[in-house]
Amino acid sequence: MTFSWTPHRFAGGALALDVANSVILRFDAARAIDRFAEHGQMDAFAAAASTFSAEKALFGELVAAPPENRQVLIALREAIDRYFRRRILGADNRQFLADLLDAAADALRPAASERSLEAATARSALALISAPQPERMKICGNCGWLFLDKSKNRSRMWCDMAVCGNRVKASRHYRKQKEDHS
């Protein structure tokens, strides 16, 4: 299956979150899709992140992870997801923080370049750990993706209003219409 890496796929607001969001419907085992499991998609992601990532100015043109570092990137992705989900939910996550720091170190050590996807992702995750406003990180109420709420009043509920917000609103409208006609 071939995917398009569109601007919506980079709605997380940080490269580390966009990498974590490369698993679609993560908590629905029957429908979950790991985009990086598809041949060539990790390389395509690195190229698209150079254009669409909110942190593209920090990292510039990203280089895909070489084959020997791909498992390191996957381990980092999973550590990012576990740590930040627990942090958002207010759960104890000391062990998950230690796991994320280990995964980031593993990604930074073998990186051939500062511009490699795995090195840039590790640096993005480290910046998020020390972010001054952790309450700005949220989980999308529709798809479950992680994102940074950069709205003025911190009221954003969806990773992307044009996709998830519209789906939720259309579903709500459909249910209301159905109830009114029952």
Side-chain angles (χ1 to χ4, degrees):
M1 181 181 295
T2 303
F3 299 103
S4 298
W5 292 106
T6 61
H8 165 66
R9 301 292 175 206
F10 295 88
L15 180 62
L17 301 181
D18 295 331
V19 168
N21 294 340
S22 67
V23 177
I24 310 296
L25 300 171
R26 182 179 286 276
F27 295 107
D28 184 345
R31 297 180 11 204
I33 300 169
D34 179 354
R35 287 181 170 239
F36 286 173
E38 299 294 327
H39 180 70
Q41 290 302 306
M42 197 180 289
D43 296 345
F45 179 90
S50 298
T51 302
F52 300 128
S53 174
E55 295 179 317
K56 65 185 176 193
L58 293 174
F59 303 120
E61 184 93 15
L62 293 175
V63 177
E68 64 272 14
N69 290 0
R70 290 178 188 240
Q71 281 310 113
V72 169
L73 179 61
I74 297 299
L76 177 60
R77 174 187 72 183
E78 297 308 307
I80 289 167
D81 189 77
R82 282 189 304 269
Y83 171 74
F84 287 111
R85 277 187 198 282
R86 291 188 65 87
R87 179 172 155 181
I88 292 165
L89 297 172
D92 178 27
N93 59 7
R94 288 172 289 182
Q95 182 58 51
F96 294 99
L97 174 59
D99 293 345
L100 175 53
L101 294 172
D102 286 343
D106 289 345
L108 289 168
R109 281 187 195 107
S113 162
E114 287 287 312
R115 296 181 320 131
S116 69
L117 179 58
E118 65 276 19
T121 300
R123 290 188 356 251
S124 175
L126 293 171
L128 287 173
I129 289 169
S130 61
Q133 296 178 311
E135 68 278 2
R136 289 210 179 258
M137 191 173 299
K138 296 183 178 179
I139 299 171
C140 179
N142 183 53
C143 69
W145 279 3
L146 301 171
F147 70 94
L148 292 176
D149 179 358
K150 296 181 180 178
S151 66
K152 195 175 200 177
N153 62 357
R154 298 182 187 133
S155 62
R156 196 167 136 197
M157 297 173 17
W158 304 293
C159 63
D160 186 344
M161 181 59 196
V163 178
C164 287
N166 283 346
R167 286 181 184 157
V168 170
K169 288 181 176 187
S171 177
R172 187 181 315 139
H173 175 72
Y174 174 78
R175 280 193 311 273
K176 184 175 177 2
Q177 293 291 347
K178 193 172 178 181
E179 289 170 5
D180 289 348
H181 291 95
S182 296

